[in-house]
Amino acid sequence: MVQAQIFIDADELMGSKLLYEYILEILIKQKVKGATVFRGRSGFGANQYLKRPNDFFSFDETPYQIVFIDEEEKVHAALTELRQHYKGGFIVTNKVDIWK
């Protein structure tokens, strides 16, 4: 099994659709077992700019993380399709064990 984590900003768009919704639609189309979108309290990316969307009068982009786990072939197929349409964000994968 492989776990993928995709890091994006909440307000990023793919056309007129929110990027995280677009990514979830790809995962559904690829029949991935499930995915969760997490909203971050704070974070920073390659630009080293600290994002704190919960601060008073803050207009920072909220960091989001999308996590999903499935068989290696399905994860790679979903990420390959995503990268054909979207080059941004930060994606990592890890091999994982499922405990039952």
Side-chain angles (χ1 to χ4, degrees), residues 65-90:
Q65 178 188 36
I66 303 163
V67 178
F68 64 100
I69 300 171
D70 210 319
E71 300 298 328
E72 187 169 357
E73 300 79 28
K74 279 193 176 181
V75 170
H76 285 248
L79 294 177
T80 298
E81 182 174 345
L82 174 62
R83 280 299 191 218
Q84 289 174 352
H85 304 285
Y86 175 73
K87 304 293 185 199
F90 181 69

